[in-house]
C-alpha cells in the first residue's frame, strides 16, 4: 500500500539536503528523511498489529531493481550501496550472480524509500569516486592483494603489496562509501525507533512487538518466496584492499547529501557511467 504523501514529504527533505552547501544541514535533512521513513514504517507495523483489515491489505512484496548492464565493472559496489540502504529500511535482498539486479523483499513503502535514497546516493558515489581518481591521489598509494606465487606443486597464495590501480582504488572507495552511508542511515533509524518506544502510550512494549512481528513476517515471506542459492559477497580477496582509498571513500560517505533529481519513487533503471 503506497503512501504517496509520505514519499512527497521525503522528496522535499531530499531536495533540501541537496540544496544546501552546509554539511551539518545536509546531515540533518538526510537523517530527517530516514527518520520520517522509519516513523511511517512503525505506524504501519502498529496498524497491522491492531487492525485485521490493514494487515490483510498490506503484505510483503518482491520487486526486482536493475543495477547495471551485464559486463560492466564495479557493479558489486552499486549492489553493496543498495543493500546497505535496504537493511536500514527493513528489507531483505537477493543479488543476481552477475550483480546486474537485486530482488527486494519487504513492504512496498519501504522498497519505495530505499529506491529513492539509492537513486540519489549512487549518483553521488560515482561522482565522488570519479573526482578521487581524477585527483591522482591514488597513484601514491598501494594495495594488498592475494596473489599466487611459485610453480607447479609449490604454488601457493600470498599477500603482496602492489601499486594501487584505478579499478582497485574505485572499488575500495565505493565500498567504504556504501558502508558509511549504511551506518548513517541505521543510526537515524535506531534513534527514531528509540524515541517511538520511549513515547509509548499504548500497552508496554507494543512498538517493539510490532516491529519484531514485522521482522518475522518478512523473514517468513522471504523464506517462502526466495529461490536464491549461495552467499553474496561485496568483494573478493583478489580484488585488493587499499586503506587510503577506503579512507577517502569513507570521508565522501560522511559528506554525502541525500537528494533527488527525480520525482519519487526513485527511478528504477540501471545507472550508466
Amino acid at each position: 500500500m503506497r503512501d504517496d504523501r509520505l514519499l512527497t514529504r521525503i522528496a522535499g527533505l531530499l531536495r533540501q539536503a541537496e540544496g544546501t552547501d552546509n554539511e551539518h544541514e545536509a546531515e540533518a535533512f538526510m537523517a530527517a528523511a530516514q527518520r520520517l521513513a522509519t516513523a511511517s514504517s512503525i505506524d504501519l507495523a502498529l496498524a497491522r498489529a491492531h487492525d485485521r483489515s490493514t494487515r490483510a491489505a498490506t503484505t510483503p512484496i518482491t520487486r526486482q531493481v536493475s543495477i547495471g548492464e551485464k559486463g560492466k565493472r564495479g557493479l558489486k559496489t552499486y549492489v553493496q550501496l543498495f543493500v546497505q540502504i535496504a537493511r536500514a529500511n527493513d528489507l531483505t535482498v537477493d543479488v543476481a550472480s552477475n550483480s546486474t539486479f537485486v530482488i527486494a523483499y519487504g513492504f512496498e513503502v519501504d522498497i519505495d524509500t530505499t529506491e529513492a535514497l539509492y537513486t540519489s546516493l549512487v549518483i553521488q558515489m560515482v561522482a565522488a569516486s570519479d573526482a578521487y581518481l581524477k585527483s591522482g591521489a591514488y597513484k601514491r598509494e598501494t594495495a594488498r592483494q592475494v596473489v599466487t606465487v611459485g610453480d607447479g606443486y609449490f604454488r601457493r597464495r600470498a599477500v603482496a603489496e602492489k601499486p594501487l590501480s584505478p579499478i582497485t582504488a574505485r572499488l575500495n572507495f565505493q565500498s567504504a562509501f556504501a558502508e558509511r552511508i549504511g551506518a548513517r542511515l541505521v543510526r537515524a533509524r535506531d534513534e527514531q525507533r528509540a524515541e517511538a518506544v520511549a513515547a509509548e502510550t499504548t500497552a508496554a512494549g507494543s512498538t517493539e512487538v510490532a516491529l519484531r512481528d514485522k521482522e518475522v513476517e518478512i523473514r517468513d515471506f522471504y523464506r517462502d518466496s526466495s529461490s536464491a542459492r549461495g552467499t553474496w559477497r561485496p568483494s573478493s580477496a583478489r580484488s585488493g584492499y587499499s586503506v587510503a582509498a577506503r579512507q577517502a571513500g569513507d570521508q565522501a560517505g560522511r559528506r554525502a547529501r541525500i537528494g533527488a533529481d527525480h520525482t519519487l519513487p526513485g527511478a528504477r533503471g540501471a545507472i550508466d557511467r
Side-chain angles (χ1 to χ4, degrees), residues 126-139 166 170:
V126 171
S129 61
D130 284 346
Y132 172 65
L133 292 179
K134 288 178 181 178
S135 74
Y138 75 93
K139 296 179 181 179
R170 182 184 294 278

Side-chain angles (χ1 to χ4, degrees), residues 76 99 231-236:
K76 280 191 173 184
S99 298
T231 301
W232 178 81
R233 302 183 193 283
S235 61
S236 67

